[in-house]
Amino acid sequence: MVAFGKKLKERSIEEWQEYYINYKLMKKKVKQYGQQIQVGSLDRRQCLKDFSRMLDHQIEKIALFMLEQQGLLSSRLQKLREWHDALQDEPDISQISKLREAYRSVGQDLLKLLLFIDMNAIGIRKILKKFDKRFGYRFTNYYVKTRADHPYSQLQQVFKHVGLGAVVGAISRNLHELQYNEGSYLSIYDHPVVPLQDPVVDSIKNAVDRLTNSTNFLNFMAQHALIMQDEDLLIPQDEQADQEEGRYHFMSLMLNLGNTFLYMVNTYIIVPTADDYSMSLGAAATVCGVVIGAMAVAQLFSSVYFSAWSNKSYFKPLIFSSIVLFFGNLLYALAYDFNSLALLLIGRLFCGFGSARAVNRRYISDCVPLKIRMQASAGFVSASALGMACGPALAGLLQTDFKIKSLTFNQDTLPGWVMAVAWLLYLVWLAISFREPAREPEEIHTSQESNSADQDGNMEKGLKKPLLLASEETEHDEEDDGDGSEESSEDSRKPANSIVAAYKLLTPSVKVQLLIYFMLKYAMEILLSESSVVTTYYFGWSMSSVSIFLFCLGLTVLPVNLVVGSYISNMFEDRQILLASEIMVCVGILLSFHVVIPYTVPQYVISGFIMFVSAEVLEGVNLSLLSRVMSSRLSRGTYNGGLLSTEAGTIARVIADATITLAGFLGQSMLLNVTLLPSLIICVGSIVATCFTYNSLY
């Protein structure tokens, strides 16, 4: 295998030599740091600081040269555009041929720039990997996390190359016009299916495809799960890997994901029949909001105690969850024969008290090795999405009515019976196959955490607030160099010990993103929970039709995340996607209102899909951003970032379900508009907050 340093020297463009990453110098510095640390002349914190500064300078040099070259290419394209316009008035075949060659020349220079970016991107990844390997740190995660999401990120210029899209588009479009339409000048946008057979454009496309590999679907899905990770830079990777391998057990991970799947099925399996069940017990159809929301109310409390319990065990909380869910579904099914609405609500409360999603997230964060944690996190999202789709679909299949002795089995009670059996089988599988991960003694862990806190106080500042401006970071660094820095750095490592303490750690941008999460969960809960009542009132839909509608909504989750994670996130910045998704959710809500004209099935279905799909895109991008900007103190302890986001979403669901029930007192004719109005107000508020917050950051 050819060493990268030699490959860089061979493939670099001679006249651009001084603008490439100085890989040889960086490699020499890494070796020098190792020797200095070994003899004690350089501490680890200073090593990290020096290396970060040096790499920042290298990336700045590359980014500024890229911008300069983009400007030169743009100027040339502008002149060619003027030439092109002149030929439209007086077409000349020889001049068209020369113009085509001029565009190809610009394309060749663009290709050189893309190859320049590619080599430098590889160089940056290589030197970061070499640094981690040499010192056993996880510095790469820290460096990319703090640089890539900063409002003035230069690293994004290298890895996302967003600005080059316009140059690529201009060359491709004009070459297409000149090659296929000499005289007609039709655009590639008019005939997008016609391939452009030009070697320059093909080479550019291949170069761009190589560069876009830095962002992929798997990474997007992992961030969607919001698995909070404690990224301690000074824990050696080999030691950390040994600890993780000792805790990892494949079957236990599958059981953890199985719990996630079953719980989501349990949540949504009753949605198509909740209104019918309420009426059969003598209540109004809109009481379905309370029935569905009771599970979310209980989850507000269960999330906290399960999060605390996971500090000590994973097996016992999962056992407890399965038992409580078994009895909750049993009570839900028996409520029909006892003709008791109270028993029905108690059953749903029990199901909420069995919500172990905090344990599911924590298990992946703590017990899955880093090398497969991204896949496990994506699996968590996929299991949730599949459960969400399968719940209503399963309800649609349970169309029967019979009795065994005094027990009734019909479309209302069968969801409870089926889920009770499912949780009982899961409980048996869990007891046989789950292996409790080994844990370090608490006093050893505390000691190690205290020691590491003394060493990386300054680096923690970067992890804590990656969106700080450079001047603010400098001020923090200067403060840490004075008296009391040890106490300050130690405090910065402590996890939050209460919800209030966790809230105080939230920056304005994080608060806005939690508001966005609240908004989208509220809108989605309104759409899903009242779907049965609304469609029955306006369209006379049967329970099977409602189930199919909800099943189709659930099926969009994974394809939408695939498109966003693989393509859209590579073309636009996360904040642009965030704002666009919020606006589309608002559009979906507006289209859902029943104003004057008769309410039709196409209006409801189209607006519902716009709202739901946009909310799914918004959720993925929002959690992706949230996982990058949240304080690292919220990656540990009971009151962590995952708990905060879960609580925000759960509170939204509770309020949404309560809104449905309260709106029911005004009559079913008013239900749709009354419940959509708060969704619209919150959505508009979140859009305003997003614009204000991120404009102030930029």
Side-chain angles (χ1 to χ4, degrees), residues 237-305:
Q237 279 187 326
D238 52 355
E239 178 183 333
Q240 191 174 56
D242 290 341
Q243 294 172 1
E244 290 171 342
E245 290 293 345
R247 293 194 296 265
Y248 175 64
H249 181 232
F250 176 75
M251 187 55 69
S252 299
L253 175 60
M254 291 298 102
L255 283 161
N256 186 65
L257 296 178
N259 183 281
T260 301
F261 170 76
L262 284 178
Y263 185 78
M264 292 302 288
V265 172
N266 211 149
T267 300
Y268 290 98
I269 193 172
I270 71 149
V271 172
T273 58
D275 59 332
D276 185 68
Y277 205 164
S278 300
M279 289 189 293
S280 68
L281 298 179
T286 51
V287 174
C288 69
V290 174
V291 175
I292 296 169
M295 196 169 177
V297 171
Q299 192 177 344
L300 284 172
F301 303 97
S302 67
S303 296
V304 178
Y305 67 71

Side-chain angles (χ1 to χ4, degrees), residues 158-173:
V158 180
F159 282 96
K160 286 248 179 171
H161 56 88
V162 178
L164 288 173
V167 181
V168 175
I171 294 171
S172 301
R173 183 177 64 82

